[in-house]
Amino acid sequence: MTIDMSAIPAECIFKQGEDWMLVAPIPDFIAAEVAAYSAAQRATMKHIVGPEAVRREVVGNRMRQDRLCAAIVNGEIAGCISYRMDGEGSVWPDAKRFRAHFGPVSGTVRYLLAEATLRRGQPEELYLEGFKVDPAARGRGIGTNLLHWLGAEVVRRGKSRWRTEASVTAAPAMRVYQGVGAKPTKTVNLGPIGRIADRPKFTVLVWEPPVDEASRRNG
């Protein structure tokens, strides 16, 4: 599906460049495409649900359109960022789809495991659950601006910070996170358990609003 970028309502355009735009909240007419793209990027569910095509089919059918920002480049979805808030993410699984695809027993178990991965986070924060920019779309500042959108959401939602986890080997992502002011707080080594989510060792990063933004939020 090629998206008509001129059909995106002005109130849904967070940022715009020469051949790209960041879209949030997600308009209804592209919601299904964005949900499928976002679900396909969930590497933490690869071992629970399966490869990208299966994640699109099983997980990518329901989305909270105000918790995700999509990057559209030349009419194609080329990146996204999403967050969890108060224990609920931008996409949420449908038990019926899991059972239909995997069977009643395996489907129920996989559904419960997927649910558990989507409920991390603390009441005072936004938890960055998905962040992706396609390689061909990089070099435009899209990743940095997606993180600026997330920072704006922290303030808009009245939270104190956003938090995420990055693999210690993901140097490009670490540079982008730290470039917007996120600070590493600790490194966690989960060993064999972490291989389920392809993150046996990762760094926790936290971003907090500048003092003037925090004061405006509270005052």
Side-chain angles (χ1 to χ4, degrees):
M1 172 185 174
T2 299
I3 296 169
D4 180 2
M5 295 170 69
S6 66
I8 303 293
E11 62 270 19
C12 294
I13 300 174
F14 174 75
K15 190 81 173 181
Q16 191 164 14
E18 185 176 346
D19 61 351
W20 60 272
M21 63 173 58
L22 303 187
V23 179
I26 306 301
D28 290 342
F29 79 98
I30 62 170
E33 288 293 319
V34 174
Y37 179 93
S38 178
Q41 311 311 317
R42 305 303 171 88
T44 54
M45 284 195 276
K46 182 171 69 174
H47 296 291
I48 298 171
V49 182
E52 284 192 14
V54 179
R55 296 200 296 272
R56 284 176 177 267
E57 176 189 345
V58 176
V59 184
N61 63 305
R62 300 195 298 180
M63 174 180 65
R64 294 178 174 88
Q65 290 163 245
D66 63 340
R67 296 190 186 184
L68 190 149
C69 183
I72 301 176
V73 180
N74 291 320
E76 303 291 335
I77 300 171
C80 68
I81 192 168
S82 60
Y83 63 84
R84 298 176 200 143
M85 183 178 72
D86 301 332
E88 296 182 340
S90 62
V91 299
W92 72 102
D94 182 346
K96 291 180 181 178
R97 286 203 170 205
F98 275 74
R99 288 193 288 267
H101 187 89
F102 297 109
V105 177
S106 179
T108 299
V109 172
R110 290 171 189 258
Y111 164 75
L112 293 173
L113 288 171
E115 270 271 284
T117 69
L118 297 174
R119 293 194 175 276
R120 286 180 290 173
Q122 303 298 322
E124 68 273 14
E125 71 182 15
L126 302 183
Y127 181 88
L128 195 168
E129 63 177 2
F131 180 40
K132 168 75 174 181
V133 179
D134 291 346
R138 294 170 187 169
R140 294 170 169 83
I142 289 174
T144 296
N145 280 291
L146 285 171
L147 289 172
H148 286 326
W149 173 82
L150 184 63
E153 286 293 287
V154 169
V155 176
R156 185 176 77 87
R157 295 288 195 177
K159 303 297 184 179
S160 62
R161 63 179 180 260
W162 61 253
R163 177 172 62 90
T164 195
E165 298 150 5
S167 170
V168 295
T169 61
M174 291 288 287
R175 286 195 294 269
V176 177
Y177 289 137
Q178 293 183 40
V180 300
K183 295 179 172 58
T185 60
K186 63 180 177 180
T187 297
V188 179
N189 191 342
L190 296 177
I193 296 175
R195 298 186 187 283
I196 295 174
D198 283 343
R199 281 186 181 177
K201 189 175 183 180
F202 59 84
T203 297
V204 178
L205 297 106
V206 172
W207 178 92
E208 297 178 335
V211 174
D212 58 337
E213 290 188 24
S215 298
R216 186 165 58 251
R217 179 193 66 204
N218 296 325

